[in-house]
């Protein structure tokens, strides 16, 4: 085994290969799919933010929930509140966009995904990257990835609001309980997937039982940690499932709001 010392140049250099990689499998497929998936989400999200058909009783499009601007229809406002004054004239979705976006952007799984797919840093294991230097996440702006834990707290609030919207979708247009449309099912499935993704967060796992020395002294925290750990093992799958479910739910509500899909089956 070669030993490296502080003086040895070996430690600071990368493997000196003439070829970019020795891999012969389709290593480029995963980053290409991630690139396509995330680009589709970004393009849809940009369109949705400026689209005004985000509410039709009893459905609320997730990209515009909670609706906090005075331009929101009264039934769409969270608890009837509109904390922002008439001075705010931009689309209501912009007010809350930063919370789920920041949560996903700083997520450990998404970091790996977009570092590979967008920055090619590196595009896959054992594949050379185009960048000459590697500084990790120790400098501006990537040092801010460390605030992920705080985005987790905010994501819990957003997941709670989306769950509340899903519950309200069991009412009909007149506010009577008992409605069950395709939109209700879509919003409920979306809320469940959002929770599975949110609770499987690495920060949540640390919050439940990080730094505990004796699980036996904290049985409840141990049980919570066991549950979160199971979700955490499937974090990548829930990241994608919830990404698509929130996009599908949002699009579906807008189709109903635009009259392209009609009640009573909606
Ligand atoms: Fe993915 Fe926290 S690590 S949401």
């Amino acid at each position: 085994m070669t030993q490296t010392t502080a003086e040895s140049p070996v430690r600071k250099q990368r493997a000196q290969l003439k070829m970019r990689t020795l891999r012969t499998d389709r290593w480029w497929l995963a980053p290409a799919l991630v690139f396509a998936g995330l680009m589709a989400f970004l393009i849809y999200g940009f369109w949705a933010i400026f689209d005004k058909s985000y509410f039709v009783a009893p459905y609320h499009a997730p990209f515009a929930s909670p609706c906090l601007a005075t331009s929101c229809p009264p039934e769409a406002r969270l608890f009837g509140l509109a904390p922002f004054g008439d001075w705010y004239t931009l689309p209501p979705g912009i007010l809350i966009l930063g919370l789920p976006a920041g949560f996903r952007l700083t997520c450990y799984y998404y970091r790996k995904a977009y570092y590979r797919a967008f920055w090619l840093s590196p595009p896959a294991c054992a594949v050379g990257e185009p960048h000459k230097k590697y500084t990790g996440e120790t400098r501006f702006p990537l040092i801010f990835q460390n605030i992920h834990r705080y985005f987790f707290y905010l994501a819990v609030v957003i997941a709670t609001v989306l769950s509340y919207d899903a519950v309200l979708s069991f009412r009909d247009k007149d506010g009577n309980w008992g409605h069950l449309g395709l939109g209700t099912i879509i919003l409920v499935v979306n809320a469940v997937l959002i929770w599975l993704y949110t609770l499987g967060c690495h920060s949540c796992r640390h919050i439940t039982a990080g730094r505990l020395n004796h699980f036996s002294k904290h049985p409840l925290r141990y049980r919570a940690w066991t549950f979160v750990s199971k979700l955490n093992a499937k974090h990548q799958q829930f990241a994608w499932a919830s990404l698509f479910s929130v996009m599908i739910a949002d699009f579906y509500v807008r189709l109903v709001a635009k009259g392209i899909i009609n009640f009573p089956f909606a």
Side-chain angles (χ1 to χ4, degrees), residues 103 106-110 148 152 197-198 200-203 232 235:
F103 185 52
T106 57
C107 163
Y108 288 39
Y109 165 67
Y110 281 115
H148 181 63
F152 167 74
Y197 167 64
T198 305
C201 171
H202 291 65
S203 294
N232 183 262
H235 196 51

Side-chain angles (χ1 to χ4, degrees), residues 43-230:
I43 291 167
Y44 175 79
F46 189 75
W47 170 79
I49 284 297
F50 292 96
D51 179 65
K52 294 192 172 139
S53 311
Y54 54 80
F55 181 78
V56 56
Y59 303 143
H60 200 139
F63 277 41
S65 182
C67 214
L68 303 172
T70 50
S71 61
C72 303
E75 320 91 274
R77 296 176 187 172
L78 187 65
F79 306 127
L81 300 172
F84 289 81
D86 289 333
W87 56 268
Y88 182 81
T89 53
L90 292 173
I94 292 181
L95 288 172
I96 46 114
L97 173 72
L99 308 187
F103 185 52
R104 293 204 182 235
L105 207 64
T106 57
C107 163
Y108 288 39
Y109 165 67
Y110 281 115
R111 270 143 79 173
K112 173 191 131 183
Y114 68 79
Y115 286 166
R116 290 185 173 191
F118 285 78
W119 288 354
L120 310 176
S121 179
C125 289
V127 178
E129 61 177 297
H131 313 283
K132 293 211 168 73
K133 275 170 103 182
Y134 175 76
T135 54
E137 294 173 331
T138 57
R139 299 182 186 181
F140 177 85
L142 293 185
I143 189 130
F144 283 109
Q145 301 281 30
N146 290 311
I147 59 175
H148 181 63
R149 161 183 286 237
Y150 303 102
F151 276 118
F152 167 74
Y153 300 134
L154 297 170
V156 168
V157 176
I158 294 292
T160 305
V161 171
L162 295 186
S163 306
Y164 181 63
D165 288 344
V167 170
L168 293 186
S169 73
F170 283 95
R171 300 187 308 179
D172 63 19
K173 283 188 218 172
D174 303 318
N176 301 314
W177 292 98
H179 168 77
L180 181 64
L182 182 55
T184 314
I185 296 167
I186 289 175
L187 289 177
V188 168
V189 169
N190 177 52
V192 170
L193 287 171
I194 293 280
W195 274 116
L196 293 176
Y197 167 64
T198 305
L199 293 179
C201 171
H202 291 65
S203 294
C204 179
R205 190 165 178 259
H206 181 75
I207 289 164
T208 52
R211 294 177 171 237
L212 282 188
N213 287 331
H214 305 286
F215 277 142
S216 56
K217 289 186 185 161
H218 305 273
L220 282 180
R221 291 184 69 180
Y222 175 66
R223 286 179 76 161
W225 178 83
T226 308
F227 173 69
V228 169
S229 295
K230 283 185 185 149

